[in-house]
Amino acid sequence: MEMWVILLGILPFLMLGLSPMGMGLLRSKEPLGRSQQDLEELLEAVMSCSRDAIVILDSQGRVVLWSKTAESILGWPQKQALGRRLKELIPWEDLHKCKENPSTKIHEIFYSSPCGNDVPLEVSVESISLGGEAHELVILRDVTERRRNETELLRAKEEAESFNRELEKAIERANCMAVEAELANAAKSSFLANMSHEIRTPMNGIIGMTGLLLDTQLTAEQKEYAQIIRNCSESLLSLINDILDFSKIEAGKLELEMTDFDLRLALEEVVDVLALKAAEKGLEFVCMVEPDVPSLLRGDPGRLRQVLLNLVGNAVKFTFQGEVLVRVSLEAENQGKVTLRFQVKDTGIGIPKDKQRLLFRPFTQVDGSTTRKFGGTGLGLSISKRLVELMGGRIWVESRPGKGSLFSFAAVFEKQPPREVSEETGTVRLKGTRVLVVDDHAANRLLLKVLLEGWGCVCEEAQKAEQALRMLREAHEAGAPFQVAILDMLMPDMDGDRLGKAIKRDFRLRDTCLIMLTSLGRRGDARRLQEIGFAGYLTKPVRTSQLRCCLEAVLGLGETHFPDAPSGPAASPMLNAQSKSGLRILLVEDNTTNQKVALGILRKLGYRAEAVANGKEALACLKREPYDLVLMDCQMPELDGYEATRLIREPSTGVLNPRVPVIAMTANAMTGDKARCIEAGMDDYVAKPVRAQELEAAIRRCVKGPTDFQAKPRRLRPLPSVLPEPSEAFQEAEVPPVFDRDALLDRLMGDQELAMGILSGFLQETPAQINALRLALTQGDANSVRRWAHTIKGAAGNVGAMLLREKAALLEQVAKAGELEQARELLKGLESSWEAFRQASGL
């Protein structure tokens, strides 16, 4: 067969598999020669450019054309292939199948080459006519690379899909973990709130009772031991507070309050706490607020005091001689906010430069050795830093070893809305008063000068006693005598006593009003100073309000100002006995035991009250009578305290006094409970078990009136023998105790008869409540289970059944979550705790 005939016959098919070079040959504009040699060369070029194996078979199936590419793909040389049947070279069955399916142009087969490799091929078989004879054109393409690419692509796709699935699972896990973290944070916040209450309560009890013990007649040895107990308790309480606060900060649960407060009063509270420690070390302690600093602010005074107590406490701790100065100045101000700078300066041991960067890190101290001289957790400054940052400021330190330290921090506060305040009469009358300040400490003189000149006084200073005498005499000779002289008790050349005597001996100066300024007042100072001729005395650090009251007193504008004198300045307004008896109080409480406790406390405090069992009854009473005060339980049947308060505040309800003060009384003391009460319209908040002093304080905050007493810690008389002693089986120390008799008597201010009555009522009522709880569990009523558990919890806390209270509280939480199966298990523990309390009570 002529080669050119073959070429012309297969050329259209070859175009499908030509490489770019081969296509270029076909598209060439050069004329094709018609000689056989030219055509053969062209065919050779075309087939060499094709990436497919080209095989032509005659009608007998013998190979008549075997391209170079066929040699490389199929592994058979052209010489061996030509003239042989194709089925001897490749699997003929597969080719036969290809021929049987003409609708499918391309087929895939696997070919085993002579060298043993399996090669995936795409095969196309076409019947053609060459020179009038039937032939078959077989085109084979090696798709190994494509298969590899497809496999890689498929694997990549599967990996991507697997990655996406894993990513989705990871996102789902992350979401679950976020929810769990949120729940854990909520649980942690709840735990911290509970721990804060549970730990602080007994610690405060230890400190308070030790203070009462120190006020009794003790031997020197007993007094020393009691003082050690109180000091250790205060240290432990401070440590606990630091750890709880740090945990809250780490959990992101520490939030600042936003309340109105008086900055100067808040600072004086800090001064009151640390003045004694400073005086015991012989330190000068000065607290000065610049005159342009506004007093009435909005913010969190408790956290501000915490930062200042930490900084000032450290200053006192690390200073052995010299002074501690607290100074507040105005850094920036706009219409609604102020930025204040607080500085605490001391003359103590100082801090090395390389250690200053460690100060505000948690759990670190300048001296971390096991032999360090000063104690502490290393948390105080870290907590202070975070609190200052929450207040919108920053904190820093400047210090040199042996030269003292200066801690500074800035904080942002809102200003209270402007109000019309009439100028106080005493302050008006102080204007123009000539005052001489005598003190060897410049910081003290500066403080007094700033305060006095702020009130309009004419103030001059003297550093020594001789200088003061000279200035007093010169002023008298000039016809402008000093009306008041404020003398420091301890001065190097002549102390305040001797200077006061010298002034009173001089007939020209004897009319000068003298005020003694001492670091630590002692019993008997008032009488001794009065005998010398002093009109009043003040203890350092000077409080602004006390200084002004003292000046008013010595100038005849107020009463005498001797702290331990029989008569003193008027007390702050509180309710007197007559006002108490005339106050109409409505107690809203569904639990009979709790009613008895609250009514008993109120009666002991001098109040009269009426009790109702729920919010609906309370509304009916308030529509009939204009009560002066409502004590409202929060969780009650029919109408709870929150909704009842909202209805009281609603004018359309018909209550005679919609603005009657409402004090919440609730067994819940969790974070946010107080805010919920205030949101409902309540005015104050008392946590159960109700304590007499806390209830008295809440009533005083809500009801204004004249006073004739000040609330002081009550000294409990010993428990009378009439109240049964606990059985021996329950004498072991348990936390919480089965029966806390001291807490019960404390709550009732030592009234044993009232305690017996309340115990008896509780023992009679509780079995029915437990039966109702058990029935609710049987019926699957989670709300009723929660309500009865809450009722038992509140009453148990009031009578001192602390273990029973804990079991009821846990059961209440479980019921609230709808976990009734777990509640059934907890009921056994509650019943066991009830039986233990019943036996411990002895009734």
Side-chain angles (χ1 to χ4, degrees), residues 667-684:
N668 291 332
M670 307 287 282
T671 301
D673 289 326
K674 183 175 182 179
R676 186 181 177 192
C677 294
I678 300 301
E679 181 183 354
M682 300 176 181
D683 299 273
D684 214 321

Side-chain angles (χ1 to χ4, degrees), residues 53-57 63 65-67 70 74 86 136-140:
I54 301 171
V55 179
I56 296 178
L57 308 177
V63 176
L65 187 146
W66 189 269
S67 68
L74 301 176
L86 186 61
E136 287 180 328
L137 172 63
V138 181
I139 299 177
L140 304 98

Side-chain angles (χ1 to χ4, degrees), residues 809-823 826:
L810 184 57
L811 202 152
E812 178 189 12
Q813 293 176 11
V814 170
K816 187 175 181 180
E819 300 290 341
L820 292 185
E821 284 300 322
Q822 189 176 354
L826 294 174

Side-chain angles (χ1 to χ4, degrees), residues 770-791:
I770 295 177
N771 287 336
L773 191 154
R774 188 184 299 108
L775 178 62
L777 271 174
T778 303
Q779 296 173 344
D781 187 349
N783 286 333
S784 294
V785 172
R786 179 192 57 77
R787 182 168 59 82
W788 283 115
H790 178 81
T791 300

Side-chain angles (χ1 to χ4, degrees), residues 543-569:
R543 285 77 162 173
T544 303
S545 57
Q546 291 180 354
L547 175 61
R548 194 183 67 210
C549 289
C550 185
L551 280 173
E552 293 171 358
V554 301
L555 292 170
L557 304 176
E559 299 182 35
T560 180
H561 202 273
F562 284 92
D564 59 353
S567 61

Side-chain angles (χ1 to χ4, degrees), residues 510-571:
R510 63 180 55 172
D511 291 334
T512 306
C513 296
L514 301 182
I515 298 175
M516 179 64 80
L517 192 60
T518 177
S519 296
L520 185 61
R522 296 182 293 265
R523 186 174 297 277
D525 281 348
R527 183 181 298 278
R528 179 174 55 81
L529 293 172
Q530 282 178 314
E531 291 174 352
I532 294 173
F534 281 84
Y537 86 95
L538 293 169
T539 57
K540 295 180 182 179
V542 176
R543 285 77 162 173
T544 303
S545 57
Q546 291 180 354
L547 175 61
R548 194 183 67 210
C549 289
C550 185
L551 280 173
E552 293 171 358
V554 301
L555 292 170
L557 304 176
E559 299 182 35
T560 180
H561 202 273
F562 284 92
D564 59 353
S567 61

Side-chain angles (χ1 to χ4, degrees), residues 182 206 329 360 696 756:
E182 186 175 348
I206 294 171
S329 57
F360 300 106
E696 175 75 86
M756 289 289 293

Side-chain angles (χ1 to χ4, degrees), residues 70-207:
E71 289 186 359
S72 62
I73 291 177
L74 301 176
W76 293 95
Q78 187 181 55
K79 292 181 180 181
Q80 296 182 17
L82 290 174
R84 299 181 63 176
R85 294 183 182 275
L86 186 61
K87 65 180 181 181
E88 299 174 10
L89 305 175
I90 61 176
W92 180 250
E93 292 78 7
D94 292 335
L95 289 177
H96 186 67
K97 291 177 182 177
C98 295
K99 294 170 64 178
E100 288 178 349
N101 295 287
S103 59
T104 304
K105 297 296 184 182
I106 299 176
H107 300 266
E108 291 188 4
I109 66 172
F110 275 94
Y111 167 67
S112 296
S113 65
C115 59
N117 295 328
D118 289 334
V119 181
L121 299 176
E122 280 187 354
V123 181
S124 175
V125 180
E126 290 285 344
S127 297
I128 59 176
S129 176
L130 298 176
E133 296 183 6
H135 287 72
E136 287 180 328
L137 172 63
V138 181
I139 299 177
L140 304 98
R141 175 173 293 179
D142 185 354
V143 292
T144 301
E145 187 65 27
R146 193 180 73 188
R147 284 287 186 89
R148 184 182 299 113
N149 292 338
E150 289 175 350
T151 302
E152 292 296 328
L153 183 62
L154 181 61
R155 182 182 298 111
K157 182 180 177 181
E158 291 175 349
E159 289 177 354
E161 290 176 351
S162 175
F163 176 78
N164 287 336
R165 288 194 297 271
E166 292 299 324
L167 181 60
E168 289 174 359
K169 292 179 182 178
I171 292 173
E172 185 178 355
R173 286 195 300 270
N175 290 335
C176 292
M177 291 172 66
V179 172
E180 291 175 0
E182 186 175 348
L183 293 174
N185 278 339
K188 186 175 182 180
S189 178
S190 174
F191 173 77
L192 290 172
N194 287 333
M195 287 300 99
S196 175
H197 173 76
E198 297 298 333
I199 294 174
R200 284 187 174 104
T201 297
M203 289 305 303
N204 283 326
I206 294 171
I207 294 170

